[in-house]
């Protein structure tokens, strides 16, 4: 569209007037506001900015992925915790799975025989020393001391574990099953200690005050004796092995074997020589020629 221009008019007083400029219109702006859009051609279409929208399926896939990941994490954590608890439960069960020694039942049998023989609890030793040495009370005292000595390892184990278990329980660092197993073992040992003391007073009044001290002394003596016997047996076995590997004896055996081999070789050579001398006599051909 051609642009229209007009000349300015000069007034006599020196002023001038400029004619108004006609507004330009664009195609497609008929009856519309200016600046609403720009024409794209003869049809008067407008460029419009396209808004890119995310597919809802993407949000759905992301949500499913998060749910699956959380489920796998929870399942892994639960299985790991179950395995750990099972391991510690088995360990705790073995650790505090204590049983009374066989000497307890043996003592009960000896007591039954003593009562059948006329022994009465709390009567003390008999008047005659000979009868006391061979009577049922003597056998009953020996059986009780044997029972007490057999209980020493179990008692010392519980005493050793007591401080640590109480500290773990106070700090909530042990499982319920572990604590209950420990309590059951501790109650069993405490009951056994009290029963031994009661039996000691029935056999001899006042013996309960010293029986556990005596049992500990005997236990340590027996332990030392067993260690010495084991050490002596190990030393004897070591000497036996060294004796078998003694270089002097080994050299003698080699010398004897060499002499035996040499004798056999000499005997074989002599035998071969005798065979040759007897099979083909010297001068046999010469004697034939003389004839």
């Amino acid at each position: 569209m051609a642009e229209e221009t007009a000349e300015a008019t000069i007034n006599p007083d020196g002023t001038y007037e400029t004619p108004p400029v006609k507004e330009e219109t664009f195609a497609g702006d008929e009856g519309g506001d200016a600046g609403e859009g720009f024409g794209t051609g003869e049809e008067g279409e407008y460029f419009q900015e396209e808004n890119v929208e995310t597919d809802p399926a993407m949000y759905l896939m992301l949500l499913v992925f998060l749910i699956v990941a959380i489920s796998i994490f929870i399942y892994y954590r639960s299985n790991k915790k179950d395995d750990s608890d099972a391991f510690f439960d088995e360990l705790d069960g073995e650790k505090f799975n204590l049983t009374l020694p066989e000497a307890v039942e043996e003592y009960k049998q000896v007591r039954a025989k003593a009562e059948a023989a006329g022994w009465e609890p709390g009567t003390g030793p008999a008047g005659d020393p000979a009868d006391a040495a061979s009577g049922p009370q003597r056998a009953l005292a020996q059986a009780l001391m044997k029972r007490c000595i057999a209980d020493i390892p179990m008692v010392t184990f519980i005493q050793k574990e007591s401080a640590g278990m109480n500290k773990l329980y106070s700090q909530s660092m042990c499982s319920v099953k572990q604590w209950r197993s420990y309590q059951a073992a501790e109650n069993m040992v405490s009951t056994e200690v009290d029963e031994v003391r009661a039996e000691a007073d029935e056999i001899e009044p006042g013996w309960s005050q010293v029986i556990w001290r005596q049992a500990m002394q005997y236990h340590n003596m027996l332990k030392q004796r067993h260690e010495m016997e084991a050490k002596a047996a190990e030393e004897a076995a070591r000497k036996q092995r060294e004796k078998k590997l003694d270089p002097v004896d080994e050299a003698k055996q080699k010398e004897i074997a060499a002499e035996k081999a040499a004798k056999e070789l000499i005997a074989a050579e002599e035998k071969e020589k005798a065979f040759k001398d007897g099979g083909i006599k010297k001068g046999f051909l010469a004697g034939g020629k003389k004839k």
Side-chain angles (χ1 to χ4, degrees):
M1 183 175 180
E3 182 179 359
E4 296 180 356
T5 59
E7 296 180 356
T9 304
I10 302 174
N11 297 324
D13 57 0
T15 62
Y16 62 92
E17 296 179 358
T18 302
V21 179
K22 186 178 180 181
E23 294 183 358
E24 296 181 358
T25 59
F26 298 92
D29 286 346
E30 297 178 359
D33 297 334
E36 183 176 342
F38 295 94
T40 59
E42 296 179 354
E43 298 179 356
E45 297 179 355
Y46 301 98
F47 287 109
Q48 295 181 354
E49 184 180 358
E50 295 183 359
N51 295 327
V52 179
E53 297 181 357
T54 305
D55 190 357
M58 295 295 294
Y59 292 107
L60 181 60
M61 291 178 62
L62 182 60
L63 180 62
V64 171
F65 175 77
L66 290 176
I67 293 174
V68 172
I70 293 173
S71 301
I72 293 174
F73 176 75
I74 294 174
Y75 177 77
Y76 174 77
R77 285 289 301 273
S78 61
N79 285 347
K80 186 176 181 181
K81 184 177 180 181
D82 293 341
D83 294 341
S84 179
D85 291 343
F87 171 76
F88 284 111
D89 289 343
E90 292 177 0
L91 182 62
D92 296 340
E94 293 180 358
K95 186 175 183 180
F96 295 108
N97 187 18
L98 304 180
T99 55
L100 295 175
E102 296 180 356
V104 176
E105 187 64 27
E106 293 177 359
Y107 170 78
K108 293 180 180 180
Q109 296 176 0
V110 174
R111 180 186 173 94
K113 293 180 180 179
E115 291 177 349
W119 174 79
E120 295 181 1
T123 57
D128 189 358
D131 295 339
S134 61
Q137 187 173 5
R138 176 68 176 176
L140 192 60
Q142 292 177 349
L144 183 61
M145 179 55 67
K146 181 180 178 181
R147 171 182 175 178
C148 194
I149 293 172
D151 288 336
I152 292 295
M154 181 175 60
V155 174
T156 54
F157 172 75
I158 290 297
Q159 289 177 347
K160 182 180 178 181
E161 295 290 333
S162 178
M165 286 302 303
N166 284 288
K167 184 176 180 180
L168 291 175
Y169 180 74
S170 63
Q171 297 178 356
S172 300
M173 296 179 64
C174 65
S175 63
V176 176
K177 184 174 182 179
Q178 183 180 12
W179 177 249
R180 289 179 179 175
S181 300
Y182 164 73
Q183 282 187 321
E186 186 183 30
N187 292 334
M188 183 186 68
V189 173
S190 298
T191 303
E192 174 65 10
V193 171
D194 294 338
E195 288 184 0
V196 169
R197 286 176 176 170
E199 294 290 334
D201 282 337
E202 290 184 354
I203 296 173
E204 184 177 351
W207 193 22
S208 62
Q209 303 297 325
V210 295
I211 185 172
W212 282 105
R213 191 183 310 118
Q214 293 175 351
M216 179 63 72
Q217 293 175 356
Y218 287 135
H219 173 75
N220 292 334
M221 290 173 58
L222 292 173
K223 184 178 179 180
Q224 291 177 0
R225 184 196 301 177
H226 292 162
E227 291 177 353
M228 292 177 61
E229 291 177 354
K231 187 176 181 180
E234 184 179 356
E235 185 69 16
R238 185 182 64 82
K239 289 182 179 180
Q240 187 68 21
R241 290 192 301 268
E242 290 179 355
K243 185 177 180 180
K244 290 181 179 180
L245 299 178
D246 189 0
V248 178
D249 294 340
E250 187 176 359
K252 289 182 179 179
Q253 292 178 358
K254 289 182 179 180
E255 184 178 355
I256 293 172
E259 291 179 357
K260 184 177 180 180
K263 290 180 181 180
E264 291 178 354
L265 181 61
I266 293 172
E269 290 178 353
E270 290 178 353
K271 188 175 181 180
E272 183 179 359
K273 184 178 180 181
F275 175 77
K276 289 181 179 180
D277 293 342
I280 302 176
K281 295 181 180 181
K282 293 181 179 181
F284 175 77
L285 296 178
K289 289 179 179 180
K290 289 180 180 180
K291 291 180 180 179

mmCIF file of all heavy atoms in Angstrom, residues 60-84:
data_model
loop_
_atom_site.group_PDB
_atom_site.id
_atom_site.type_symbol
_atom_site.label_atom_id
_atom_site.label_comp_id
_atom_site.label_asym_id
_atom_site.label_seq_id
_atom_site.Cartn_x
_atom_site.Cartn_y
_atom_site.Cartn_z
ATOM 1 N N LEU A 60 2.285 -41.365 34.965
ATOM 2 C CA LEU A 60 1.842 -42.671 35.459
ATOM 3 C C LEU A 60 2.998 -43.664 35.533
ATOM 4 O O LEU A 60 3.150 -44.395 36.513
ATOM 5 C CB LEU A 60 0.734 -43.213 34.566
ATOM 6 C CG LEU A 60 0.138 -44.571 34.975
ATOM 7 C CD1 LEU A 60 -0.474 -44.479 36.360
ATOM 8 C CD2 LEU A 60 -0.906 -45.021 33.956
ATOM 9 N N MET A 61 3.858 -43.678 34.501
ATOM 10 C CA MET A 61 5.011 -44.587 34.496
ATOM 11 C C MET A 61 5.990 -44.227 35.612
ATOM 12 O O MET A 61 6.553 -45.106 36.283
ATOM 13 C CB MET A 61 5.714 -44.516 33.141
ATOM 14 C CG MET A 61 4.903 -45.104 31.994
ATOM 15 S SD MET A 61 5.739 -44.961 30.409
ATOM 16 C CE MET A 61 7.186 -45.933 30.701
ATOM 17 N N LEU A 62 6.209 -42.918 35.849
ATOM 18 C CA LEU A 62 7.093 -42.494 36.920
ATOM 19 C C LEU A 62 6.558 -42.909 38.283
ATOM 20 O O LEU A 62 7.306 -43.371 39.160
ATOM 21 C CB LEU A 62 7.279 -40.978 36.865
ATOM 22 C CG LEU A 62 8.219 -40.363 37.911
ATOM 23 C CD1 LEU A 62 9.623 -40.942 37.772
ATOM 24 C CD2 LEU A 62 8.241 -38.851 37.786
ATOM 25 N N LEU A 63 5.263 -42.791 38.471
ATOM 26 C CA LEU A 63 4.649 -43.199 39.736
ATOM 27 C C LEU A 63 4.783 -44.697 39.967
ATOM 28 O O LEU A 63 5.111 -45.148 41.070
ATOM 29 C CB LEU A 63 3.172 -42.788 39.742
ATOM 30 C CG LEU A 63 2.376 -43.144 41.004
ATOM 31 C CD1 LEU A 63 2.968 -42.433 42.213
ATOM 32 C CD2 LEU A 63 0.911 -42.769 40.834
ATOM 33 N N VAL A 64 4.573 -45.483 38.917
ATOM 34 C CA VAL A 64 4.711 -46.943 39.039
ATOM 35 C C VAL A 64 6.147 -47.315 39.379
ATOM 36 O O VAL A 64 6.409 -48.187 40.211
ATOM 37 C CB VAL A 64 4.255 -47.625 37.733
ATOM 38 C CG1 VAL A 64 4.591 -49.118 37.762
ATOM 39 C CG2 VAL A 64 2.761 -47.430 37.533
ATOM 40 N N PHE A 65 7.107 -46.634 38.752
ATOM 41 C CA PHE A 65 8.516 -46.919 39.019
ATOM 42 C C PHE A 65 8.865 -46.630 40.478
ATOM 43 O O PHE A 65 9.569 -47.403 41.131
ATOM 44 C CB PHE A 65 9.391 -46.084 38.084
ATOM 45 C CG PHE A 65 10.855 -46.219 38.354
ATOM 46 C CD1 PHE A 65 11.555 -47.345 37.931
ATOM 47 C CD2 PHE A 65 11.543 -45.220 39.036
ATOM 48 C CE1 PHE A 65 12.903 -47.471 38.196
ATOM 49 C CE2 PHE A 65 12.892 -45.340 39.294
ATOM 50 C CZ PHE A 65 13.581 -46.468 38.870
ATOM 51 N N LEU A 66 8.390 -45.512 41.002
ATOM 52 C CA LEU A 66 8.664 -45.173 42.394
ATOM 53 C C LEU A 66 8.053 -46.195 43.344
ATOM 54 O O LEU A 66 8.673 -46.589 44.344
ATOM 55 C CB LEU A 66 8.121 -43.774 42.694
ATOM 56 C CG LEU A 66 8.870 -42.609 42.035
ATOM 57 C CD1 LEU A 66 8.165 -41.298 42.342
ATOM 58 C CD2 LEU A 66 10.312 -42.545 42.514
ATOM 59 N N ILE A 67 6.840 -46.637 43.052
ATOM 60 C CA ILE A 67 6.185 -47.629 43.914
ATOM 61 C C ILE A 67 6.970 -48.939 43.920
ATOM 62 O O ILE A 67 7.195 -49.555 44.965
ATOM 63 C CB ILE A 67 4.730 -47.846 43.459
ATOM 64 C CG1 ILE A 67 3.906 -46.570 43.693
ATOM 65 C CG2 ILE A 67 4.111 -49.025 44.190
ATOM 66 C CD1 ILE A 67 2.503 -46.642 43.150
ATOM 67 N N VAL A 68 7.420 -49.368 42.737
ATOM 68 C CA VAL A 68 8.186 -50.617 42.645
ATOM 69 C C VAL A 68 9.512 -50.491 43.395
ATOM 70 O O VAL A 68 9.934 -51.400 44.118
ATOM 71 C CB VAL A 68 8.428 -50.989 41.173
ATOM 72 C CG1 VAL A 68 9.391 -52.170 41.062
ATOM 73 C CG2 VAL A 68 7.109 -51.328 40.495
ATOM 74 N N ALA A 69 10.199 -49.358 43.244
ATOM 75 C CA ALA A 69 11.476 -49.158 43.924
ATOM 76 C C ALA A 69 11.306 -49.175 45.443
ATOM 77 O O ALA A 69 12.093 -49.800 46.170
ATOM 78 C CB ALA A 69 12.108 -47.849 43.472
ATOM 79 N N ILE A 70 10.267 -48.510 45.944
ATOM 80 C CA ILE A 70 10.028 -48.497 47.394
ATOM 81 C C ILE A 70 9.685 -49.891 47.903
ATOM 82 O O ILE A 70 10.134 -50.312 48.972
ATOM 83 C CB ILE A 70 8.906 -47.496 47.726
ATOM 84 C CG1 ILE A 70 9.371 -46.066 47.421
ATOM 85 C CG2 ILE A 70 8.496 -47.610 49.186
ATOM 86 C CD1 ILE A 70 8.285 -45.029 47.549
ATOM 87 N N SER A 71 8.909 -50.649 47.125
ATOM 88 C CA SER A 71 8.544 -52.009 47.535
ATOM 89 C C SER A 71 9.768 -52.909 47.619
ATOM 90 O O SER A 71 9.922 -53.689 48.556
ATOM 91 C CB SER A 71 7.527 -52.586 46.549
ATOM 92 O OG SER A 71 6.360 -51.789 46.498
ATOM 93 N N ILE A 72 10.656 -52.795 46.621
ATOM 94 C CA ILE A 72 11.875 -53.613 46.626
ATOM 95 C C ILE A 72 12.756 -53.255 47.822
ATOM 96 O O ILE A 72 13.321 -54.128 48.488
ATOM 97 C CB ILE A 72 12.646 -53.423 45.312
ATOM 98 C CG1 ILE A 72 11.836 -54.011 44.140
ATOM 99 C CG2 ILE A 72 14.021 -54.084 45.383
ATOM 100 C CD1 ILE A 72 12.448 -53.748 42.788
ATOM 101 N N PHE A 73 12.858 -51.958 48.110
ATOM 102 C CA PHE A 73 13.679 -51.524 49.239
ATOM 103 C C PHE A 73 13.132 -52.060 50.568
ATOM 104 O O PHE A 73 13.877 -52.571 51.405
ATOM 105 C CB PHE A 73 13.732 -49.991 49.271
ATOM 106 C CG PHE A 73 14.477 -49.440 50.445
ATOM 107 C CD1 PHE A 73 15.868 -49.483 50.483
ATOM 108 C CD2 PHE A 73 13.800 -48.884 51.510
ATOM 109 C CE1 PHE A 73 16.563 -48.970 51.563
ATOM 110 C CE2 PHE A 73 14.489 -48.376 52.599
ATOM 111 C CZ PHE A 73 15.873 -48.413 52.623
ATOM 112 N N ILE A 74 11.817 -51.962 50.750
ATOM 113 C CA ILE A 74 11.201 -52.451 51.992
ATOM 114 C C ILE A 74 11.368 -53.959 52.115
ATOM 115 O O ILE A 74 11.668 -54.494 53.189
ATOM 116 C CB ILE A 74 9.718 -52.053 52.033
ATOM 117 C CG1 ILE A 74 9.583 -50.521 52.129
ATOM 118 C CG2 ILE A 74 9.010 -52.712 53.211
ATOM 119 C CD1 ILE A 74 8.165 -50.027 52.033
ATOM 120 N N TYR A 75 11.203 -54.680 51.005
ATOM 121 C CA TYR A 75 11.338 -56.146 51.020
ATOM 122 C C TYR A 75 12.773 -56.549 51.361
ATOM 123 O O TYR A 75 13.003 -57.467 52.155
ATOM 124 C CB TYR A 75 10.949 -56.703 49.657
ATOM 125 C CG TYR A 75 11.120 -58.195 49.528
ATOM 126 C CD1 TYR A 75 10.203 -59.079 50.101
ATOM 127 C CD2 TYR A 75 12.204 -58.731 48.833
ATOM 128 C CE1 TYR A 75 10.363 -60.446 49.982
ATOM 129 C CE2 TYR A 75 12.380 -60.092 48.721
ATOM 130 C CZ TYR A 75 11.453 -60.947 49.296
ATOM 131 O OH TYR A 75 11.626 -62.300 49.177
ATOM 132 N N TYR A 76 13.751 -55.833 50.797
ATOM 133 C CA TYR A 76 15.152 -56.151 51.074
ATOM 134 C C TYR A 76 15.497 -55.888 52.533
ATOM 135 O O TYR A 76 16.168 -56.695 53.183
ATOM 136 C CB TYR A 76 16.050 -55.320 50.154
ATOM 137 C CG TYR A 76 17.521 -55.467 50.451
ATOM 138 C CD1 TYR A 76 18.226 -56.597 50.042
ATOM 139 C CD2 TYR A 76 18.214 -54.467 51.131
ATOM 140 C CE1 TYR A 76 19.571 -56.735 50.310
ATOM 141 C CE2 TYR A 76 19.559 -54.587 51.404
ATOM 142 C CZ TYR A 76 20.233 -55.722 50.990
ATOM 143 O OH TYR A 76 21.564 -55.855 51.266
ATOM 144 N N ARG A 77 15.026 -54.764 53.053
ATOM 145 C CA ARG A 77 15.311 -54.436 54.446
ATOM 146 C C ARG A 77 14.682 -55.450 55.399
ATOM 147 O O ARG A 77 15.290 -55.870 56.380
ATOM 148 C CB ARG A 77 14.787 -53.031 54.766
ATOM 149 C CG ARG A 77 15.614 -51.911 54.193
ATOM 150 C CD ARG A 77 16.945 -51.776 54.891
ATOM 151 N NE ARG A 77 16.771 -51.513 56.314
ATOM 152 C CZ ARG A 77 16.614 -50.318 56.831
ATOM 153 N NH1 ARG A 77 16.634 -49.249 56.050
ATOM 154 N NH2 ARG A 77 16.477 -50.155 58.129
ATOM 155 N N SER A 78 13.451 -55.863 55.104
ATOM 156 C CA SER A 78 12.777 -56.825 55.985
ATOM 157 C C SER A 78 13.473 -58.173 55.966
ATOM 158 O O SER A 78 13.663 -58.806 57.001
ATOM 159 C CB SER A 78 11.314 -56.982 55.570
ATOM 160 O OG SER A 78 11.224 -57.478 54.242
ATOM 161 N N ASN A 79 13.894 -58.625 54.777
ATOM 162 C CA ASN A 79 14.587 -59.912 54.685
ATOM 163 C C ASN A 79 15.934 -59.857 55.374
ATOM 164 O O ASN A 79 16.344 -60.802 56.056
ATOM 165 C CB ASN A 79 14.788 -60.297 53.218
ATOM 166 C CG ASN A 79 13.511 -60.786 52.577
ATOM 167 O OD1 ASN A 79 12.543 -61.064 53.269
ATOM 168 N ND2 ASN A 79 13.504 -60.870 51.264
ATOM 169 N N LYS A 80 16.655 -58.748 55.228
ATOM 170 C CA LYS A 80 17.950 -58.610 55.876
ATOM 171 C C LYS A 80 17.802 -58.617 57.384
ATOM 172 O O LYS A 80 18.580 -59.234 58.106
ATOM 173 C CB LYS A 80 18.617 -57.313 55.409
ATOM 174 C CG LYS A 80 20.037 -57.146 55.917
ATOM 175 C CD LYS A 80 20.659 -55.889 55.345
ATOM 176 C CE LYS A 80 22.094 -55.730 55.844
ATOM 177 N NZ LYS A 80 22.709 -54.495 55.306
ATOM 178 N N LYS A 81 16.777 -57.956 57.883
ATOM 179 C CA LYS A 81 16.545 -57.922 59.320
ATOM 180 C C LYS A 81 16.164 -59.295 59.844
ATOM 181 O O LYS A 81 16.612 -59.722 60.905
ATOM 182 C CB LYS A 81 15.442 -56.913 59.624
ATOM 183 C CG LYS A 81 15.198 -56.732 61.112
ATOM 184 C CD LYS A 81 14.153 -55.661 61.350
ATOM 185 C CE LYS A 81 13.912 -55.478 62.847
ATOM 186 N NZ LYS A 81 12.872 -54.443 63.105
ATOM 187 N N ASP A 82 15.319 -60.031 59.076
ATOM 188 C CA ASP A 82 14.922 -61.375 59.501
ATOM 189 C C ASP A 82 16.124 -62.307 59.564
ATOM 190 O O ASP A 82 16.270 -63.097 60.495
ATOM 191 C CB ASP A 82 13.859 -61.929 58.549
ATOM 192 C CG ASP A 82 12.550 -61.142 58.660
ATOM 193 O OD1 ASP A 82 12.362 -60.452 59.677
ATOM 194 O OD2 ASP A 82 11.741 -61.208 57.716
ATOM 195 N N ASP A 83 17.003 -62.221 58.538
ATOM 196 C CA ASP A 83 18.189 -63.074 58.531
ATOM 197 C C ASP A 83 19.099 -62.741 59.708
ATOM 198 O O ASP A 83 19.654 -63.631 60.351
ATOM 199 C CB ASP A 83 18.950 -62.900 57.214
ATOM 200 C CG ASP A 83 18.144 -63.404 56.027
ATOM 201 O OD1 ASP A 83 17.196 -64.188 56.263
ATOM 202 O OD2 ASP A 83 18.435 -62.993 54.892
ATOM 203 N N SER A 84 19.273 -61.455 59.975
ATOM 204 C CA SER A 84 20.129 -61.054 61.097
ATOM 205 C C SER A 84 19.544 -61.527 62.422
ATOM 206 O O SER A 84 20.250 -62.056 63.279
ATOM 207 C CB SER A 84 20.286 -59.534 61.096
ATOM 208 O OG SER A 84 21.080 -59.131 62.179
#
